[in-house]
Amino acid sequence: MLYYLFRFLDQYDIPGSHIWAYISFRSLLTLILSLVISAWFGEKFIKYMHRRNISEVQRDASIDPFGVEKKGVPTMGGIIIIMAILVPVLLLGRMRNIYLILMIATTLWLGFLGFMDDYIKIFRRNKEGLKGKYKIVGQVSIGLIVGLVLYFSPDAVMRENVSLQKTPGQEVVVKHKSEAVKSLKTTIPFLKNHNLDYQQLTSCFGKYQQAAGWILFVLMTILVVTAVSNGANLNDGMDGMCAGNSAIIGVALGILAYVSSHIEYAAYLNIMYIPGSEELVVFICAFVGALIGFLWYNAYPAQVFMGDTGSLTIGGIIAVCAIIIHKELLLPILCGIFFVESLSVIIQTQWFKLQKRRGKRVRVFRATPIHDNFRKLDSQLDATSTYILKGWPHRPFHESKITVRFWITTIILAAITIITLKIR
């Protein structure tokens, strides 16, 4: 809203109004505003939840060897994050941008899905929350919507990078095609001048190759949104864990979005130029600011939990942003923590089921998701089961130490993700 107001005032040479055209100014202002809103609204929200006695009812000291009691802590703090994202974006974003509209839709859609899950857990006293099949349907639906919008919208285009070398011995000059086109290509990490084209994977469909390629892209979008959203949800098990990891991931995504939206940087780095994706930088700055402000209250010992309202939304935002800038194949690196959390749960459940059919009760980890494995005592394990990694680690760690070490790991993964732009 303010963007259009000041752009209008700029026509009359109002001093200072021209700076609203700069993406750097709007992005940093969004970051500050979202952080302030998150911190201010967070305090009001926590007091309100305490007055209404709306708090965590499932977690208790039995899951923590250090005896940290977590009952009575307000939950559904994802509302703080969503508010701190949407208000600055609506004020400072260019609302006619298709990518910004998609990010807002993703935030609202998955925020509502997570809210319903938390509502059932708290007010219906059903610890299972929203049934898993409904969660999957909601995640698949937003993935389908994003994929189809990117297919049908005339504004969702890109200009592919082209390397030119006039004579032997000259330095390679990287330019971009003059026309923006629809594209099914995505960046392959560590490989120079090699992008994955989904359409090439469907060449067996003949004249229907292009349509099949788009179907494959939509399916990939659904898979990425669902996987990252669930990964973030599983990572939300310790104070500050998911918020801190996601803020770090958000910084890396903001850098990727910025260089993808700047034709000179895109040419220098030999990556695809995506017109209009600069508005993603505004959104991601709001995302990072909201998470940092939320950490003010969510850091150990937490005064509020984000709940599924926050974790499902966070994962969806990360996934959709990566898909828009054609960097979804970087997510296994960037979101390595989320990936390992999900993988640990899959390994644990599938191995237990396999061994149970053989009449045995064998588990791989002490507990899953993997972060719980580092704080559980051997004395807390099921005596009727055998644990393959029972002695790892040798002693439990306090959750604040686990959280910080996971943050450090994510920082390393984010750095690796960024340097893939040059190491190719």
Side-chain angles (χ1 to χ4, degrees):
M1 297 178 185
L2 292 178
Y3 168 80
Y4 294 105
L5 172 62
F6 283 95
R7 292 294 286 169
F8 172 76
L9 295 176
D10 190 35
Q11 298 175 9
Y12 300 96
D13 297 323
I14 303 297
S17 58
H18 67 283
I19 63 175
W20 291 80
Y22 294 103
I23 196 69
S24 55
F25 172 78
R26 288 192 291 124
S27 297
L28 292 176
L29 190 58
T30 301
L31 176 68
I32 296 169
L33 184 57
S34 63
L35 198 158
V36 170
I37 291 174
S38 183
W40 173 80
F41 179 65
E43 182 181 7
K44 305 294 183 183
F45 181 83
I46 292 170
K47 290 180 178 178
Y48 173 82
M49 297 294 273
H50 274 303
R51 286 198 303 269
R52 296 284 183 173
N53 198 27
I54 303 173
S55 60
E56 180 64 63
V57 295
Q58 298 180 64
R59 305 184 194 186
D60 56 38
S62 65
I63 66 171
D64 193 320
F66 298 95
V68 179
E69 180 65 58
K70 295 195 176 184
K71 281 186 178 180
V73 177
T75 187
M76 300 175 76
I79 295 174
I80 301 171
I81 299 172
I82 293 172
M83 286 290 293
I85 291 174
L86 293 182
V87 173
V89 167
L90 292 174
L91 286 174
L92 304 173
R94 188 158 57 91
M95 297 308 299
R96 295 175 184 174
N97 183 278
I98 185 61
Y99 301 134
L100 196 60
I101 293 172
L102 277 178
M103 297 305 295
I104 293 173
T106 300
T107 303
L108 292 173
W109 187 288
L110 291 178
F112 177 75
L113 185 70
F115 175 82
M116 291 303 298
D117 184 62
D118 289 334
Y119 180 86
I120 293 172
K121 288 178 181 177
I122 296 170
F123 295 99
R124 299 292 178 85
R125 302 294 177 179
N126 182 353
K127 65 178 183 179
E128 299 298 326
L130 190 66
K131 290 185 178 179
K133 62 181 180 180
Y134 295 128
K135 284 186 183 180
I136 295 297
V137 169
Q139 292 165 330
V140 169
S141 298
I142 190 61
L144 180 63
I145 291 170
V146 171
L148 291 177
V149 169
L150 293 176
Y151 172 55
F152 286 109
S153 174
D155 297 325
V157 293
M158 57 83 73
R159 286 167 61 178
E160 189 179 356
N161 44 311
V162 182
S163 297
L164 303 175
Q165 189 169 5
K166 294 182 180 179
T167 60
Q170 279 190 328
E171 185 179 352
V172 174
V173 179
V174 180
K175 295 185 177 180
H176 289 86
K177 291 182 178 179
S178 58
E179 294 184 1
V181 296
K182 287 284 183 182
S183 176
L184 287 173
K185 293 186 177 181
T186 188
T187 301
I188 301 178
F190 302 112
L191 293 179
K192 190 174 184 178
N193 296 326
H194 286 81
N195 297 322
L196 173 65
D197 191 341
Y198 291 108
Q199 190 170 320
Q200 290 181 348
L201 300 177
T202 58
S203 57
C204 59
F205 288 92
K207 65 179 182 178
Y208 301 107
Q209 178 181 359
Q210 185 176 9
W214 275 106
I215 292 174
L216 180 61
F217 169 75
V218 172
L219 292 175
M220 183 66 175
T221 302
I222 292 171
L223 175 64
V224 171
V225 171
T226 304
V228 180
S229 183
N230 284 326
N233 186 233
L234 291 172
N235 187 236
D236 179 34
M238 292 185 178
D239 297 350
M241 173 78 80
C242 186
N245 286 325
S246 300
I248 297 165
I249 292 170
V251 171
L253 279 177
I255 295 171
L256 293 174
Y258 184 72
V259 297
S260 297
S261 67
H262 196 292
I263 192 166
E264 292 181 3
Y265 289 152
Y268 172 72
L269 294 169
N270 195 6
I271 60 175
M272 290 174 277
Y273 167 56
I274 305 168
S277 60
E278 65 274 3
E279 292 302 316
L280 290 177
V281 183
V282 175
F283 188 93
I284 290 299
C285 280
F287 177 70
V288 173
L291 289 172
I292 294 174
F294 182 73
L295 271 174
W296 186 272
Y297 304 104
N298 186 237
Y300 183 88
Q303 296 172 259
V304 63
F305 298 134
M306 68 170 64
D308 284 14
T309 307
S311 59
L312 291 179
T313 306
I314 286 171
I317 288 171
I318 292 170
V320 173
C321 181
I323 290 165
I324 289 173
I325 60 176
H326 300 262
K327 299 292 185 292
E328 64 268 24
L329 296 186
L330 291 175
L331 286 179
I333 302 173
L334 180 58
C335 300
I337 289 294
F338 295 169
F339 177 73
V340 171
E341 295 272 40
S342 300
L343 189 62
S344 67
V345 173
I346 294 171
I347 291 173
Q348 184 87 319
T349 55
Q350 295 305 313
W351 183 258
F352 183 78
K353 289 179 181 178
L354 177 63
Q355 295 301 317
K356 191 174 182 180
R357 287 198 291 266
R358 297 175 180 176
K360 302 177 182 179
R361 294 177 61 86
V362 182
R363 305 177 194 271
V364 178
F365 306 100
R366 287 188 181 119
T368 55
I370 192 67
H371 60 256
D372 281 332
N373 182 74
F374 296 103
R375 67 170 173 178
K376 194 148 188 175
L377 292 169
D378 287 341
S379 59
Q380 295 176 302
L381 302 181
D382 181 8
T384 63
S385 298
T386 303
Y387 295 84
I388 296 176
L389 298 178
K390 184 176 181 179
W392 178 75
H394 299 298
R395 62 183 177 84
F397 295 97
H398 195 279
E399 72 170 270
S400 60
K401 182 178 286 292
I402 299 170
T403 297
V404 172
R405 289 185 175 180
F406 272 53
W407 288 355
I408 293 170
T409 303
T410 302
I411 291 172
I412 295 171
L413 293 174
I416 294 172
T417 302
I418 298 301
I419 64 175
T420 58
L421 296 174
K422 293 301 293 180
I423 302 181
R424 290 185 288 165

